[in-house]
Amino acid sequence: QAGQGGEAMMMLAAVLALAAGPLPMMTPEQVTLLAERIALAKAASAHMKAGRVEEAVAAMTRVHEIDLRIVGPLYRLTELSAARLAVAC
């Protein structure tokens, strides 16, 4: 019985890794959107630091829209962009 917990965890990790499968390649459109997202996130941060809340919220809203389009609603990146937007509002 000793050590079986560790073995079970290793088996679970292996099964989950196989079930997840490889990540799909990004399309050219997604690559373009990702570059836009990065620029918008930087702009949003600069706007917030400068006290331009409306501009920051507009940029964060677009960041969240891009996250939804690239990775969908059930992804950590999308969750984080939604949380940042909520805090800013």
Side-chain angles (χ1 to χ4, degrees):
Q1 286 183 351
Q4 286 183 353
E7 290 174 18
M9 289 302 292
M10 292 294 287
M11 180 64 83
L12 177 60
V15 169
L16 290 176
L18 290 173
L23 294 174
M25 296 294 291
M26 291 181 76
T27 66
E29 178 190 14
Q30 289 173 320
V31 171
T32 301
L33 285 171
L34 184 58
E36 180 183 352
R37 182 209 184 280
I38 292 168
L40 284 166
K42 288 179 182 178
S45 179
H47 289 311
M48 283 300 282
K49 287 179 184 174
R52 297 186 301 267
V53 177
E54 287 184 29
E55 291 91 341
V57 169
M60 284 188 255
T61 299
R62 182 67 182 133
V63 165
H64 184 64
E65 290 168 353
I66 291 171
D67 289 346
L68 286 169
R69 190 164 179 186
I70 292 176
V71 296
L74 302 177
Y75 193 76
R76 183 75 177 141
L77 186 64
T78 308
E79 180 184 328
L80 289 172
S81 66
R84 288 184 185 118
L85 183 57
V87 168
C89 291

